[in-house]
Amino acid sequence: MEWLTVHRGRPDPGPLREMDLWWNLIGRTLGRDWDVTTDDGDPHAVDVVVTRDAYLIATVLPGPDVLVEVHDHDVRADGVPVLRSRVGITARRPPDGFYFCATIPAVVDVDRIEAWLLDGVLVVRAPLTWAGRATA
């Protein structure tokens, strides 16, 4: 099993950012707690399991060297970070463009999100905060 570093930062201003905003809106409209999107040119099945303690997100990867990023805030024009109502988790492999983006409620502990790669399966665990557990 290979533990991966989970990077925390602001969303990219490019097309992935637009997709994240779009899925955020669709998820709220449909009343779902979470949404997942993948690259249309290279779609992958992504499983999401919601337990009492965490969101577990898993997908089979066609190779190593994946980057996992967490986006829990936006940045205003003046540079001030603003917390989001939903958290975006993006996994991507830059050379070939593979990615998936999951948006989940902001009741997760972003500092404790972890990811690992086991036999070609990427697993991301986003633990709920105490407040999130109380509402689950």
Side-chain angles (χ1 to χ4, degrees):
M1 177 166 51
E2 176 188 353
W3 287 96
L4 301 172
T5 302
V6 177
H7 302 275
R8 185 173 172 197
R10 66 180 197 187
D12 292 331
L16 292 180
R17 172 71 179 130
E18 294 299 319
M19 183 66 75
D20 190 24
L21 290 173
W22 186 76
W23 273 104
N24 187 12
L25 177 62
I26 293 296
R28 282 184 290 165
T29 302
L30 296 176
R32 291 180 11 183
D33 286 339
W34 55 267
D35 289 292
V36 174
T37 183
T38 61
D39 178 15
D40 289 338
D42 188 17
H44 285 77
V46 179
D47 294 321
V48 179
V49 177
V50 183
T51 69
R52 184 179 174 284
D53 298 324
Y55 286 86
L56 296 169
I57 303 164
T59 189
V60 176
L61 285 181
D65 300 328
V66 63
L67 176 66
V68 179
E69 300 169 320
V70 175
H71 308 293
D72 66 332
H73 65 276
D74 290 312
V75 178
R76 296 189 328 207
D78 60 2
V80 175
V82 178
L83 289 177
R84 296 169 126 195
S85 61
R86 290 165 59 95
V87 173
I89 299 174
T90 304
R92 67 178 85 185
R93 283 204 356 247
D96 62 5
F98 162 83
Y99 77 88
F100 79 83
C101 180
T103 49
I104 56 179
V107 293
V108 296
D109 186 347
V110 294
D111 293 326
R112 294 182 41 230
I113 292 175
E114 55 191 357
W116 59 91
L117 196 56
L118 178 63
D119 296 331
V121 177
L122 171 67
V123 179
V124 178
R125 182 179 182 275
L128 294 171
T129 61
W130 287 109
R133 291 179 190 179
T135 60

